Amino acid sequence: MSEHRIDILNRAGTTDNFAGAFLVSEWYRRNLYMYSIVQKTMTPQDSKALVLVGASHAAMMQEFIALDQQFRLKELKDVLK
């Protein structure tokens, strides 16, 4: 997760107000939803997928792919050689 989100946003609010943690969890949930779409749209016949996202989302996608034994990550720069 982006350091900015966990270091700064997560601290927002008071000890009985978790506005910052809520914002961070919503961002994390959005990434999970995006990854879920990738998982659900892939079929056994698909051998490749291109997932084009911004830098902070890419970091999360990398984390999710590392935890998912169904997929293997290749950087676009390595594919375009």
Side-chain angles (χ1 to χ4, degrees):
M1 175 175 279
S2 169
E3 290 177 17
H4 177 73
R5 285 179 184 81
I6 203 72
D7 287 352
I8 296 171
L9 292 179
N10 199 52
R11 295 175 190 260
T14 61
T15 55
D16 61 347
N17 176 308
F18 299 96
F22 177 77
L23 288 172
V24 173
S25 70
E26 288 299 300
W27 179 82
Y28 199 91
R29 180 167 58 162
R30 179 176 180 201
N31 283 284
L32 284 171
Y33 283 6
M34 291 165 49
Y35 189 63
S36 176
I37 291 169
V38 172
Q39 291 175 306
K40 292 172 182 177
T41 57
M42 295 294 293
T43 69
Q45 293 77 28
D46 294 326
S47 62
K48 296 177 180 123
L50 172 65
V51 179
L52 186 61
V53 296
S56 65
H57 296 293
M60 294 305 302
M61 294 297 119
Q62 289 174 337
E63 184 178 324
F64 297 150
I65 290 169
L67 297 170
D68 188 338
Q69 296 181 11
Q70 299 294 319
F71 298 110
R72 182 171 46 104
L73 178 68
K74 277 196 169 185
E75 296 282 338
L76 184 60
K77 65 180 174 56
D78 298 330
V79 174
L80 296 178
K81 283 185 179 180

